[in-house]
Amino acid sequence: FGLFFGLEKQGALFFRIYSCSKAMRSLALALLPLAWACSYVEIPYPAGENGTSYMIGRTMEFSNLAGLTKHHVEVVPAYLAGGKHGYVAPVTTLGLSALHVKVPGEGMNDVGLTVSALMFMESVYEERQDGVPAVKFEDVIPQLLTHCDTVASALAFLASVRVVRSLLSMEARFHWAIADASGHSVVVEYLQGQRKVSQNTPRVLTNDPNLEWHWRNLNTYSNLSPYYPSQNSFLEVETDHNVGRVPHPVGHGWNLHGLPGDSSAVSRFVRLFYLRGYALHTAPMKDESDATVLGTALLNHVFIPYGVVAPDPGMGPGIDRPEYTAYAVLKSPAERKMLIRGYRNTQWRLIDMSKLDLTQAQAWPIEDGSLGIADITTEGSVMTGVGSDDVAIAVV
């Protein structure tokens, strides 16, 4: 049998498998944690030099191989990354005695450039070309974060190299949401071997199909409304038996009737776009705190509990495993702040890059072993002068 080696080159987060027999390579790929259901959304709020900043929320979904898949956050200093900028990146690690894989799915650097990788199996990457540097697709995040400071410079970098497939692309392929502190936001996809850049004006991204398909699909749900449904009130008639006037909405929520609720990429894209839009229409953000609250609510809408997404048996016994939301991120490029939470401990934890020593390699586990529950039993305030009129009474 061949040997597997993990390589970390100059501190960047690279993945390599060398000297493997065909059978062992297949085994390695079969063991990779699959991520099919990543979601990404941006929430505008008043701040920054341009008057508008964005809170970026994303979820990362993975299956977990025998408890060996771990997630943590790393600081990669510029001198180790081999570029101009240090950065913070959530990293997924699969650790076996003969195989060590580290893949960053997310990150933000010291000037607020952010890159998010989402699964996109339609990808067909570029071919190598003599005289042009090649970057394997799984290395795009560390390369952009350490070498670039804006979306424009990231696009220039990608234009100067060839983004190519690797052994990992047999089981995983990405497209990328790239945003900077100014609010500029794009999506980069590789379709039929060509790089395609889209200005991300809807500011939402999920997975397959391609982004243009998702944009057109939003038209399918143009019947949705942020308003209480009254368009059929002219049809109302009075009925017998105390039924009342019909047709008439009973209860709330009917303005969203038809909004898809499943965990597919298509449905998540639609849900994030319309729910964010209606929330902003009703209650525009006042500050970063409001954006954090709305971002949390939207990410909760695409949260996937373990075991609810059915695996594909066509991939072979034990290959496609139940995925779940392993972690979620909220990040503010303008403020250089990143919030992160796990699956079990859903309490947000803050990494403030303005206070972080980016010259020192550091790491934090995403799951800390707790549920993040605060015991407030002894923290109640004594109420004085309380009478019977102040006490809620249930009348049966």
Side-chain angles (χ1 to χ4, degrees):
F1 291 100
L3 298 177
F4 295 88
F5 296 94
L7 172 65
E8 293 182 39
K9 183 180 179 182
Q10 295 180 327
L13 307 175
F14 284 54
F15 167 71
R16 300 288 187 268
I17 300 179
Y18 292 113
S19 304
C20 306
S21 68
K22 182 178 180 180
M24 291 293 281
R25 286 197 300 270
S26 299
L27 174 61
L29 293 172
L31 295 180
L32 289 175
L34 301 179
W36 300 102
C38 310
S39 301
Y40 174 100
V41 63
E42 299 181 17
I43 301 102
Y45 64 95
E49 296 179 1
N50 298 331
T52 302
S53 292
Y54 291 87
M55 182 69 68
I56 301 174
R58 74 84 45 89
T59 63
M60 177 62 81
E61 278 70 35
F62 272 100
S63 61
N64 188 349
L65 169 63
L68 298 174
T69 304
K70 300 184 183 301
H71 311 281
H72 62 281
V73 182
E74 289 190 0
V75 171
V76 181
Y79 76 91
L80 287 177
K84 298 184 297 181
H85 303 289
Y87 60 88
V88 174
V91 179
T92 296
T93 302
L94 173 63
L96 294 172
S97 58
L99 172 65
H100 188 69
V101 181
K102 293 175 66 176
V103 180
E106 176 66 47
M108 180 163 63
N109 70 13
D110 52 14
V111 292
L113 179 71
T114 80
V115 186
S116 302
L118 290 82
M119 185 70 81
F120 183 54
M121 295 303 291
E122 190 178 332
S123 298
V124 178
Y125 297 110
E126 297 169 307
E127 295 295 328
R128 294 177 182 270
Q129 180 178 333
D130 291 342
V132 180
V135 174
K136 293 188 177 182
F137 81 98
E138 65 266 26
D139 299 337
V140 164
I141 286 181
Q143 290 293 310
L144 292 182
L145 291 179
T146 193
H147 291 296
C148 307
D149 51 9
T150 63
V151 167
S153 64
L155 295 179
F157 177 89
L158 292 174
S160 70
V161 302
R162 307 286 282 184
V163 173
V164 300
R165 63 185 181 273
S166 70
L167 186 62
L168 183 58
S169 61
M170 294 170 63
E171 287 292 335
R173 287 161 236 157
F174 303 146
H175 55 183
W176 296 269
I178 307 173
D180 61 28
S182 75
H184 191 187
S185 179
V186 300
V187 171
V188 176
E189 297 177 317
Y190 287 84
L191 300 170
Q192 299 179 344
Q194 301 293 319
R195 183 179 66 260
K196 183 175 183 179
V197 177
S198 303
Q199 301 299 319
N200 193 10
T201 49
R203 298 184 183 267
V204 175
L205 188 63
T206 55
N207 315 106
D208 295 78
N210 61 70
L211 185 59
E212 184 177 329
W213 189 98
H214 282 290
W215 287 352
R216 294 182 188 279
N217 186 54
L218 291 175
N219 296 332
T220 306
Y221 300 90
S222 57
N223 62 294
L224 298 173
S225 171
Y227 304 111
Y228 193 79
S230 60
Q231 64 270 28
N232 289 315
S233 58
F234 70 96
L235 293 174
E236 288 186 8
V237 295
E238 191 68 40
T239 60
D240 289 338
H241 311 298
N242 295 319
V243 172
R245 297 182 65 82
V246 297
H248 183 76
V250 178
H252 291 90
W254 292 106
N255 60 305
L256 298 177
H257 183 62
L259 184 71
D262 60 81
S263 294
S264 68
V266 171
S267 296
R268 286 181 282 109
F269 194 104
V270 171
R271 202 152 67 246
L272 287 174
F273 178 83
Y274 278 100
L275 291 178
R276 178 199 56 192
Y278 290 169
L280 292 174
H281 177 78
T282 303
M285 304 293 94
K286 297 184 179 66
D287 51 31
E288 180 186 351
S289 296
D290 283 354
T292 300
V293 173
L294 178 56
T296 302
L298 292 172
L299 294 182
N300 288 344
H301 260 279
V302 292
F303 182 91
I304 299 178
Y306 182 86
V308 302
V309 174
D312 179 5
M315 296 183 65
I319 300 301
D320 193 20
R321 301 172 182 85
E323 61 186 298
Y324 64 100
T325 303
Y327 65 83
V329 169
L330 281 174
K331 53 186 178 179
S332 173
E335 303 293 334
R336 317 298 196 268
K337 293 179 180 178
M338 179 183 289
L339 298 171
I340 193 157
R341 70 183 189 184
Y343 178 77
R344 293 179 61 81
N345 184 352
T346 57
Q347 175 67 48
W348 287 118
R349 284 165 286 172
L350 169 66
I351 297 176
D352 187 341
M353 296 183 68
S354 67
K355 302 175 182 178
L356 189 63
D357 182 2
L358 287 168
T359 67
Q360 180 68 44
Q362 303 176 60
W364 301 264
I366 290 179
E367 295 286 4
D368 62 1
S370 77
L371 298 181
I373 298 173
D375 184 351
I376 63 170
T377 306
T378 62
E379 298 177 10
S381 300
V382 176
M383 300 174 63
T384 59
V386 178
S388 59
D389 292 340
D390 299 308
V391 179
I393 300 176
V395 178
V396 180

